[in-house]
Amino acid sequence: MAEKRGSSITKIAFLCLFITTTMMFVLSLRGRPGLFDHKTMPAEKLLTVFNNGYSQTSNQSNAESSNGSNRAILANSEKQRVEGGGFQVSCNGNLKEPLKIFLYDLDPEFHFGLLDWKPQGNSVWPDIRTKIPSYPGGLNSQHSIEYWLTLDLLASEFSENPSSREAIRVKNSSEADLIFVPFFSSLSYNRYSKLSPHQKKSKNWELQEKLVKFVMSQKEWKISGGRNHVVLAHHPNSMLNARMQLWPAIFILSDFGRYPINVANLDKDVIAPYKHVIKSYVNDSSDFDSRKTLLYFQGAIYRKNGGFARQELYYLLKDEKDVHFSFGSVQRNGIRQASQGMHSSKFCLNIAGDTPSSNRLFDAIASHCVPVIISDEIELPYEDILDYTEFCIFIRTSDAVKKGFLINRIRSITKDKWTQMWEKLKQVEPLFEFQYPSKEGDAVQMIWQSLSHKVSSVKMKINKSKRYSRFVPRKRRGLRTRTK
């Protein structure tokens, strides 16, 4: 019995000794900063956001729960930036320089010459400080992104603080992140794609051939294999010839409807918005009750390819009392009528036509009319940072053409839900606005931002392509045999 008690006391004594020794060891480490340096320990990320002009610092969880009124939604909810030292600074303190773009000095026949601008002196570019060549209106303007991007690059040379811009022009291609090809391809298609009686090739086709010859002969293309080149082909029918030869480049497109997947895809290319045609709804004081039309569509009803749904929906909806579904065009005050109709409607239909996308979506956003998207193959601008479900309704085509499905779905949306989406539309509207001079968070700056997301992938592909290119092996000699 005594032996057992002695054994128990010994165990307790050893346990106390172990605990005491461990505590002394831990306490001794607190005085050694090399081991537990609190500066090296992970801390919550701090974000500085701007709300109604006032700066406020909060931890990341608070920033994520903040409402949409602060400017965090515009650029990148994870990478808010403030100005400091002439450069853009991310929340983790890293300097973010603007995207550096080398602009090919193409002959004016490829860009502003298409707007009937005549060069003065040796410059191929207009002096935008004195006069800016105007772009044609109407439906021409919806695919005018090459015009706005080129103007913004030219303006970066005269900026008082170029480091604050999303993109700047550089004169040395070796310093550039991307190479910009300033061909106004959509305008070329709209104006010069038809053959004249004496022509074998249209002017649009000839310009594409000349462009391909020029671009592929440049050292910048040969070094990169074209991967870092930016080619604009926003109109679905633009660059029909050149696209198959310039496919390694980054295309800026409205959708992928008429492209093979190996020629254009989200991995390498950028989807850009259309420029809306109807008037913006400035000082919108409407509400759910004042917008009397429930659902609005005006446009071409009979379309090719994926546009069959328009015809089906016309017959399903034409007799609904609070639905406007009719044929319309830009002629005979069509744009003014569409503006009035969208401004007075709660929901606006965006249905696939000949291609997955249409300008109607961006007209609806400018009207603060909640878009109802029926286009299964549509790709949307900035969707890596923008959640379209917050201000759009998506319905599969197969469901939409079922009797009663679409109208019942729209009628089920409550006044509070619609108002929430309407408020969000007003917040995101500036992201789709093209203008000169460009402003922070508008469509031009957002497209540059989308291009900047491609740079690291492009550089990796270029670097990988160089792995074995510098080594040219000597011609192998066959085994020699002795001859007697």
Side-chain angles (χ1 to χ4, degrees), residues 281-297:
Y281 200 161
V282 181
N283 300 322
D284 180 6
S285 59
S286 65
D287 59 19
F288 184 85
D289 296 319
S290 66
R291 291 180 175 242
K292 300 300 182 182
T293 302
L294 175 68
L295 189 60
Y296 183 90
F297 178 89

Side-chain angles (χ1 to χ4, degrees), residues 12-173:
I12 293 171
F14 273 114
L15 179 61
C16 291
L17 179 62
F18 174 76
I19 293 172
T20 303
T21 304
T22 303
M23 290 179 65
M24 290 178 67
F25 175 71
V26 171
L27 289 172
S28 69
L29 291 178
R30 294 184 65 183
R32 298 174 64 185
L35 292 178
F36 285 101
D37 189 350
H38 293 281
K39 293 180 181 179
T40 64
M41 297 294 285
E44 290 187 75
K45 293 181 181 178
L46 295 179
L47 298 178
T48 301
V49 297
F50 293 85
N51 192 355
N52 300 324
Y54 296 95
S55 63
Q56 176 182 356
T57 303
S58 61
N59 62 36
Q60 187 170 3
S61 60
N62 290 338
E64 287 173 352
S65 63
S66 63
N67 63 33
S69 64
N70 63 52
R71 286 166 53 191
I73 65 166
L74 294 183
N76 189 328
S77 59
E78 301 264 344
K79 298 180 180 178
Q80 292 303 314
R81 299 171 304 179
V82 294
E83 296 298 320
F87 290 96
Q88 296 171 345
V89 184
S90 65
C91 59
N92 62 10
N94 294 330
L95 294 178
K96 183 181 184 300
E97 294 186 19
L99 190 66
K100 293 179 180 138
I101 306 287
F102 178 76
L103 179 67
Y104 278 137
D105 286 325
L106 287 175
D107 188 278
E109 68 174 335
F110 291 100
H111 43 83
F112 289 100
L114 293 169
L115 297 171
D116 301 322
W117 172 78
K118 304 296 182 185
Q120 310 235 338
N122 297 324
S123 177
V124 299
W125 302 109
D127 185 353
I128 58 175
R129 293 170 295 181
T130 58
K131 186 178 180 181
I132 301 170
S134 60
Y135 201 90
L139 290 180
N140 282 292
S141 66
Q142 64 182 334
H143 297 295
S144 58
I145 63 167
E146 58 258 31
Y147 172 77
W148 304 105
L149 291 176
T150 304
L151 280 179
D152 193 59
L153 279 182
L154 295 176
S156 70
E157 298 185 82
F158 312 115
S159 175
E160 294 180 359
N161 188 12
S163 298
S164 66
R165 304 175 65 90
E166 286 288 346
I168 59 172
R169 182 186 182 186
V170 295
K171 295 298 183 70
N172 190 336
S173 63

